[in-house]
Amino acid sequence: MSSRFEAFLGISVELTAFSRFDLLGTGLAERYLATLDKVVGGEITDTLLAAFVALPPAEGEARIQAVRTTILGNELLGDVARALIKLWYSGTWFELPCAWTERFGPRPADTTFIVSPDAYVEGLLWKAIGAHPAGAKAPGFGSWAFPPKIPALPELVSKA
């Protein structure tokens, strides 16, 4: 895998709070990188990836603060990063805000669209809420009779 793709996976892990394994398991990582390139262009995508690679090491509060200020708080990169988060969770690219477009120029491919039918089914939101996508990945007959099982996140489990 290219270092560019690795950086894309890295920032996606950081922004979604899902593991590399989970993101690769969707089968959509390459398609999402291509979507980012198509919509905002390779130059902005590379700027976003370079900002991620330049962040301090992954441990500690400094990293979290750096993501907030360097990426999410950046005029150019913040809205793009938020659109990437929404893409991973919903499978839909949501058009960038008007303020972003006015400042950095319109992009012909920047419209709201579903990347693919697989993107809906593999959206991270289903895993996050412990449910199955409506109309796909049926859990089996009668499963509707039981509440969804939402797994506890290891770092949030209270230590009694």
Side-chain angles (χ1 to χ4, degrees):
M1 287 185 219
S2 74
S3 61
R4 187 173 192 267
F5 183 72
E6 287 298 325
F8 176 75
L9 275 178
I11 193 170
S12 295
V13 165
E14 196 87 29
L15 293 174
T16 65
F18 274 86
S19 72
R20 185 178 196 280
F21 177 81
D22 288 326
L23 298 183
L24 286 171
T26 66
L28 295 164
E30 290 175 355
R31 186 172 293 171
Y32 286 171
L33 176 56
T35 298
L36 197 58
D37 282 336
K38 174 184 158 193
V39 175
V40 299
E43 186 176 318
I44 292 175
T45 300
D46 288 343
T47 302
L48 176 64
L49 299 178
F52 170 73
V53 170
L55 291 174
E59 303 85 33
E61 187 65 30
R63 173 70 166 220
I64 295 167
Q65 198 58 32
V67 169
R68 288 180 182 155
T69 57
T70 307
I71 295 175
L72 295 172
N74 182 288
E75 281 185 311
L76 174 66
L77 304 178
D79 288 321
V80 174
R82 284 184 282 281
L84 180 59
I85 294 168
K86 291 185 274 187
L87 177 62
W88 274 109
Y89 273 84
S90 68
T92 301
W93 176 269
F94 290 93
E95 184 176 355
L96 292 166
C98 291
W100 190 94
T101 302
E102 288 170 5
R103 179 156 177 102
F104 301 106
R107 302 291 192 263
D110 184 28
T111 61
T112 298
F113 63 95
I114 297 172
V115 173
S116 76
D118 293 339
Y120 165 76
V121 173
E122 295 298 331
L124 297 178
L125 77 97
W126 305 114
K127 192 168 197 168
I129 65 171
H132 297 274
K137 288 190 176 183
F141 178 77
S143 62
W144 53 266
F146 304 101
K149 293 179 183 175
I150 301 172
L153 298 174
E155 64 272 2
L156 299 178
V157 175
S158 64
K159 294 178 170 95

